[in-house]
Amino acid sequence: MPNYLLLLHESTTAGPELGPDEIQTIIERYVAWSEDLRARSLLIRGEKLRDDPGRVLRREEDELVVRDGPYAETREIVGGIYLIQAGSLSEAEQICADCPHLALGGTIELREIEDVSSGDA
């Protein structure tokens, strides 16, 4: 069964201030969604990324250049990831359809993972 990576994009512009109860409710929605996927043996892994934007690395000629990133001009950042199994891209889309991230205004980039372990790639 193919594996798919879900990149959960979220806006970098400030949204409404949320109180602790609202934040807890959102967390519980993600946990419930993840537990449902796990119960159906579809979830391989899911992680929230830290709010710190991290680093962007590039090779410029022979030098590794490390910068803070993503840049402030970026309107969306990746806030979390899921790794799931699905029978097809269409099935993976259906799995994503009820992800709480979409209901909260985020977007999901869905990518099939190519198996390169066999050496055939």
Side-chain angles (χ1 to χ4, degrees):
M1 186 177 298
N3 293 335
Y4 294 88
L5 178 66
L6 285 60
L7 297 165
L8 281 58
H9 294 263
E10 55 192 49
S11 174
T12 58
T13 59
E17 287 294 319
L18 301 175
D21 291 340
E22 293 168 307
I23 292 170
Q24 185 60 36
T25 298
I26 291 169
I27 291 169
E28 289 169 2
R29 289 173 65 187
Y30 280 97
V31 168
W33 189 73
S34 298
E35 287 176 354
D36 177 62
L37 294 180
R38 189 174 290 110
R40 296 187 293 156
S41 299
L42 299 175
L43 179 64
I44 298 169
R45 187 170 188 146
E47 303 290 342
K48 181 197 179 299
L49 301 180
R50 291 189 177 270
D51 292 335
D52 178 318
R55 303 290 181 268
V56 174
L57 290 78
R58 288 190 173 82
R59 173 99 25 217
E60 293 180 5
E61 297 183 20
D62 290 332
E63 185 178 337
L64 177 65
V65 177
V66 180
R67 295 189 176 104
D68 290 342
Y71 300 104
E73 302 85 42
T74 304
R75 293 190 306 192
E76 284 190 335
I77 60 169
V78 176
I81 62 166
Y82 280 93
L83 184 59
I84 65 167
Q85 298 183 66
S88 66
L89 181 58
S90 179
E91 183 180 327
E93 290 170 359
Q94 291 304 310
I95 292 168
C96 293
D98 62 349
C99 178
H101 197 70
L102 296 173
L104 294 167
T107 58
I108 298 174
E109 180 180 344
L110 176 62
R111 304 287 303 272
E112 184 173 352
I113 296 174
E114 185 172 350
D115 182 9
V116 295
S117 61
S118 66
D120 294 336

